[in-house]
Amino acid sequence: MNVLSFHLKGKMAHFRRYYSNSSALSYTIPPRTTIIGIVAGLLGYPRDSYYEDFSTDQCKVAVSVRAPIKKQIQKLNLLMVKSPNDLNGSQEFHSQTATELVLPQNIRTGYIDYQIWLSHRDQTIMDSLASFIKGPGYVSKGISIALGTAQHLGWVEDGQVLEGKEEEGVAEIYSVIPASKLGKLDFTNPPYEYRLYKEDMPIDFDKERKLKDKGNMLINVLSSPIRAQVNNYVRLSNGEAITWME
């Protein structure tokens, strides 16, 4: 199979958890639904029109943390905006909301770096997306890239096309690992440091943007691969192994 690889970078991010209410908590990584939204936006799909074209049956997605990250909660003073004139803060109602931000370990010199792998059944979509992100920079028919909310601008680097072959067994997995695919972790003489999180996140929407599927993802925020036994992974032509978010 053809697998498109690229790096999604930025200075900070916020991927709001779907069950977060009074405080705005963030996922550690962009959920699959966020990634397909970015890809569909680059290709010029109208809002909420792409869920069936990028369903888990049509499009496979994997993601990895490539630079160590941390989280920090900040209070944001949110405005009540009902018209453009309210952007100056003249409305009486202001809401202070605790907001969790994803940051690089060193905010002054570092960047958030997520590596994304994507494989779509429609080769036309693969070819179009590859031409948009091979750089330098990226081309878009629609959106400007943001890491979650609009104020957290990002960019794409290092777009390339790889070959992939499905395998199973023990491997060093560079992407996050769905709990449904995980057999066991191998901590025998580990060559890397781990800081593992498990997060429950959305995977797929139906055409009415209702949640169709979700799952637990195992994430290493220190950016090193996780040696594990999994029931299905993809070995790439560059030697790395990944698991699809499904």
Side-chain angles (χ1 to χ4, degrees), residues 43-213:
L43 294 172
Y45 279 72
R47 181 182 176 90
D48 297 333
S49 68
Y50 54 86
Y51 301 126
E52 291 184 319
D53 288 344
F54 288 86
S55 67
T56 52
D57 294 333
Q58 298 296 319
C59 180
K60 304 297 185 183
V61 175
V63 59
S64 172
V65 177
R66 285 303 207 183
I69 55 178
K70 63 183 180 181
K71 288 183 178 179
Q72 188 176 85
I73 292 181
Q74 297 283 349
K75 285 287 188 72
L76 298 185
N77 195 27
L78 303 182
L79 304 179
M80 173 67 77
V81 177
K82 295 183 178 180
S83 71
N85 293 331
D86 298 332
L87 292 172
N88 62 8
S90 59
Q91 281 280 357
E92 293 183 3
F93 180 78
H94 291 210
S95 174
Q96 284 202 341
T97 302
T99 303
E100 190 174 40
L101 302 176
V102 182
L103 305 169
Q105 287 286 350
N106 188 324
I107 188 64
R108 293 181 181 273
T109 61
Y111 294 94
I112 295 171
D113 184 358
Y114 298 112
Q115 186 168 7
I116 311 296
W117 296 271
L118 183 144
S119 181
H120 202 287
R121 285 190 174 186
D122 189 334
Q123 190 60 42
T124 303
I125 290 178
M126 289 285 287
D127 293 341
S128 297
L129 186 59
S131 67
F132 284 7
I133 66 175
K134 279 191 173 180
Y138 67 91
V139 177
S140 174
K141 287 186 176 180
I143 65 166
S144 296
I145 289 178
L147 302 186
T149 50
Q151 65 266 34
H152 298 134
L153 295 178
W155 64 91
V156 166
E157 291 182 2
D158 302 328
Q160 57 179 317
V161 178
L162 304 170
E163 289 294 322
K165 181 182 179 182
E166 291 190 352
E167 299 180 4
E168 62 179 275
V170 177
E172 291 185 352
I173 307 298
Y174 280 79
S175 67
V176 304
I177 304 175
S180 60
K181 295 187 175 185
L182 179 63
K184 64 178 180 179
L185 298 174
D186 184 358
F187 291 130
T188 306
N189 300 319
Y192 311 106
E193 291 185 356
Y194 298 138
R195 185 178 298 163
L196 302 178
Y197 291 179
K198 187 175 76 169
E199 293 185 347
D200 179 52
M201 57 180 55
I203 294 177
D204 206 6
F205 289 142
D206 64 16
K207 62 182 180 180
E208 296 179 352
R209 206 176 186 275
K210 294 180 179 178
L211 185 62
K212 187 166 70 173
D213 193 14

